[in-house]
Amino acid sequence: MLSKLRPSNFLKLQKPSYSTEVYSDNSGLKERMNELIPSRRAEVKKIRKEFGDKVIDSVTIDQVYTGMRSLKAIVWEPSILDAESGILYQGHSIADLQQKLPKFGSDGEQPMAESLVWFLFSGEIPTKEQALSLQKELCSRAHIPEYTKKLIEELSRSGVHPMTQLICAVSSLQAQSQFAKKYIEGIHKNDLWIHTFEDAITLIAKMPEVCARIYANTFKNGVLGPLADPSLDYVANFMRRIGYKDQRFDEYMRLYMMIHADHEGGNVSAHTSHVVGSAYADPFLSFTAGMCGLAGPLHGLANQEVIRWVKGVQKKVGSDYSLEQIKECVWETLNSGKVVPGYGHAVLRRVDPRYTSQQQFALKYFPDDPFFKLIDDIYKVTPDILKQHGKTKNPWPNVDAHSGCMLMHYGLMEFEYYTVLFGFSRAFGIMSGLIWDRALGLSIERPKSVNTEWIKENVVNLANRTATSGVC
Ligand code: CMX
């Protein structure tokens, strides 16, 4: 035992062992961002110089006790969330992007994931050729190291939750980080974004293989479909790899990735990645940190919890149910002090457009699916009950209320896997955010915390003293 701690071995352990693979983007996206970044930097510099001391928000005591709700305190470039109209990616609505972004094949209806990545990173609608060149670049980086394969195998054999597998697998890819390697060698602050970009593309490229292996090992006895076919896009290749061949399911997954890709910077997963990245932790570690947050049931894990809850409802009410019976189930959940999963949102104040887009897809392609009908019936009664209950600020369904029923329709029944798919898509937005964090030179995040004593002394006692001294 002691011999293992001898200085020579100890020193060996201290030496970082980064991958020798060095990537340099050939898709043209990095080149384009290199052209775009200087003017954005100059713009921010000017804004800060002229208006840096202007106040954009103030903080109440309630906000510090309730998760800083709605406090404007983060810069996040890829998207912004409006309480009424929903998410805007680089200023465009999802509906708009569904029209404008290049599709796969001649009759595709949903944008290719590659075109979405290009757009989220650069803010520019790519041509089909640009999207295809990114597809090629992603394919060339798709393989994952043997140790990551073994790690997933071992974790799934041991019954570890798929989200924990994702977290471990992506953090193990950190050894591939070009950013970490270059940082140790020494890089100019202005160039940090370049290596962040390379890691971002590498991480997105490797996500399909990581996620496919988690699925295959956990649920399909390790059986994987074929390796990437260069004539297929990112999504279709992933679907074949996990054994699904239905092209309509591919289309739904393109929609799925589109609607889950980003949701501004204040949500737990994006915010965590942003904070961790602000210490110059590399993109693999920053993303992993965000995934730990996504695995919480009030955030991404809600998609799994929705199905668990709806199956419970289904068991109770049977197939020939009335809306009254569903209402009873919702009340039972609320009266037992639990949340109704898939309902409510910290920012949105109407039906989540991401819910509606999935509902429309289901109405178009499988309106008679019994599980979809049950989801729709729950939607008919739940908002009114939540309003009556009187606590929830937003009684409407969110994205997670619908996604599971779509996956189930196409035969992907393993709901403990659903949050992995959410994380898979969220990589697009989080990676874009991290690139822009580095490109704009954002500082290490370090807000000030206070405790209740501080609040009593500086606010409560002060207010009491003012009241008793009669000063207005
Ligand atoms: N069921 C029951 N009660 C709910 C509720 C729901 N669906 N949504 C909110 N509430 C309650 C809150 O727990 C809170 O109760 P307390 O005052 O006792 O603490 C009260 O209503 C006020 O909360 P809020 O301001 O409306 O909501 P928050 O911003 O605090 O929380 C969210 C937002 C999403 C965490 C919450 O609505 C929730 O827990 N929903 C269910 C879980 C879910 O679907 N999460 C997925 C969100 C989308 C995503 O991130 O993927």
Side-chain angles (χ1 to χ4, degrees):
M1 181 68 196
L2 271 178
S3 69
K4 283 194 183 148
L5 295 173
R6 278 210 314 263
S8 57
N9 282 339
F10 183 69
L11 283 176
K12 252 183 224 157
L13 281 174
Q14 294 299 300
K15 200 168 158 241
S17 57
Y18 293 107
S19 158
T20 48
E21 290 179 48
V22 177
Y23 294 115
S24 184
D25 176 57
N26 287 310
S27 71
L29 178 55
K30 186 167 77 178
E31 211 178 306
R32 185 64 194 127
M33 290 191 75
N34 197 32
E35 289 161 359
L36 296 168
I37 282 170
S39 60
R40 188 84 69 92
R41 270 185 184 154
E43 198 176 23
V44 171
K45 197 172 166 192
K46 189 166 183 286
I47 291 171
R48 288 190 56 195
K49 189 164 177 242
E50 290 176 22
F51 305 100
D53 60 351
K54 296 284 173 236
V55 175
I56 59 169
D57 217 335
S58 57
V59 195
T60 64
I61 290 182
D62 265 351
Q63 280 173 305
V64 296
Y65 280 108
T66 57
M68 300 181 278
R69 201 66 79 257
S70 77
L71 182 70
K72 294 183 199 74
I74 308 170
V75 169
W76 186 257
E77 296 293 337
S79 68
I80 203 156
L81 180 58
D82 181 79
E84 297 298 323
S85 54
I87 191 71
L88 293 178
Y89 291 155
Q90 302 273 14
H92 291 251
S93 69
I94 287 178
D96 189 25
L97 291 175
Q98 280 174 309
Q99 299 298 318
K100 292 181 177 153
L101 288 177
K103 322 281 185 302
F104 181 66
S106 50
D107 54 354
E109 285 177 16
Q110 303 296 336
M112 292 167 74
E114 293 87 336
S115 60
L116 176 61
V117 172
W118 187 291
F119 177 74
L120 274 172
F121 279 30
S122 67
E124 293 186 335
I125 306 277
T127 61
K128 181 98 178 223
E129 288 65 38
Q130 286 171 324
L132 290 173
S133 69
L134 185 57
Q135 172 207 22
K136 229 169 124 192
E137 185 66 34
L138 292 172
C139 266
S140 73
R141 303 185 191 198
H143 58 281
I144 62 171
E146 284 306 311
Y147 61 79
T148 303
K149 292 179 191 167
K150 288 198 184 109
L151 176 69
I152 297 171
E153 247 172 66
E154 194 51 51
L155 293 173
S156 50
R157 207 189 343 264
S158 309
V160 171
H161 189 279
M163 270 309 278
T164 314
Q165 294 185 46
L166 179 72
I167 288 159
C168 296
V170 176
S171 62
S172 83
L173 292 176
Q174 192 265 342
Q176 311 274 305
S177 171
Q178 207 155 303
F179 179 94
K181 185 170 177 274
K182 292 281 176 192
Y183 192 83
I184 286 173
E185 287 169 17
I187 24 172
H188 193 283
K189 198 175 177 192
N190 284 344
D191 294 340
L192 289 172
W193 79 266
I194 295 170
H195 307 290
T196 305
F197 176 95
E198 291 299 346
D199 279 3
I201 294 293
T202 304
L203 185 145
I204 290 171
K206 295 187 188 311
M207 283 299 277
E209 189 60 9
V210 166
C211 296
R213 282 179 179 267
I214 293 171
Y215 184 68
N217 287 327
T218 312
F219 305 109
K220 303 286 169 192
N221 295 318
V223 178
L224 280 159
L227 275 168
D229 169 353
S231 70
L232 295 179
D233 71 341
Y234 184 81
V235 166
N237 270 319
F238 169 68
M239 297 309 283
R240 301 302 167 272
R241 191 79 170 134
I242 60 167
Y244 292 89
K245 297 189 182 98
D246 183 341
Q247 290 184 15
R248 180 121 326 123
F249 193 13
D250 295 352
E251 278 288 85
Y252 170 65
M253 281 312 292
R254 290 185 189 102
L255 172 66
Y256 181 102
M257 297 212 123
M258 174 83 158
I259 61 181
H260 285 83
D262 205 27
H263 222 221
E264 75 169 30
N267 65 76
V268 169
S269 51
H271 186 198
T272 310
S273 299
H274 170 80
V275 175
V276 174
S278 81
Y280 293 173
D282 62 66
F284 295 95
L285 294 180
S286 307
F287 179 70
T288 300
M291 290 302 96
C292 293
L294 194 77
L298 294 189
H299 188 19
L301 203 79
N303 60 9
Q304 162 187 311
E305 291 310 294
V306 164
I307 298 303
R308 198 192 296 283
W309 182 80
V310 176
K311 279 177 176 259
V313 170
Q314 198 177 33
K315 203 167 157 196
K316 245 181 221 150
V317 302
S319 53
D320 191 21
Y321 59 82
S322 67
L323 291 183
E324 281 310 309
Q325 285 174 289
I326 295 180
K327 283 184 190 172
E328 278 168 27
C329 293
V330 177
W331 274 116
E332 198 182 305
T333 299
L334 291 172
N335 291 336
S336 60
K338 298 178 197 154
V339 296
V340 180
Y343 282 78
H345 200 274
V347 180
L348 288 168
R349 291 295 175 258
R350 74 165 181 104
V351 180
D352 189 338
R354 301 171 303 170
Y355 177 94
T356 315
S357 61
Q358 296 180 93
Q359 184 189 40
Q360 283 164 355
F361 195 99
L363 282 170
K364 186 167 174 188
Y365 295 115
F366 48 88
D368 299 326
D369 181 303
F371 205 77
F372 165 61
K373 282 189 161 168
L374 180 55
I375 295 285
D376 226 33
D377 286 336
I378 291 169
Y379 170 49
K380 281 179 194 148
V381 302
T382 302
D384 278 345
I385 297 176
L386 286 171
K387 282 182 207 165
Q388 258 178 278
H389 187 241
K391 272 183 157 192
T392 317
K393 292 193 190 67
N394 174 45
W396 304 106
N398 59 56
V399 66
D400 300 314
H402 216 300
S403 54
C405 110
M406 309 292 288
L407 297 167
M408 282 173 66
H409 173 80
Y410 289 109
L412 205 161
M413 311 301 276
E414 299 86 0
F415 59 84
E416 287 193 331
Y417 184 67
Y418 291 175
T419 314
V420 171
L421 293 175
F422 190 156
F424 185 3
S425 320
R426 194 45 69 92
F428 301 174
I430 288 178
M431 287 303 115
S432 169
L434 287 175
I435 293 168
W436 282 103
D437 288 353
R438 296 290 77 79
L440 299 181
L442 302 191
S443 308
I444 185 165
E445 207 166 281
R446 198 358 179 143
K448 175 84 185 86
S449 69
V450 295
N451 58 15
T452 303
E453 275 310 308
W454 185 95
I455 291 174
K456 271 161 59 184
E457 214 167 296
N458 290 277
V459 186
V460 180
N461 293 349
L462 194 71
N464 287 341
R465 275 201 299 276
T466 311
T468 48
S469 70
V471 178
C472 297

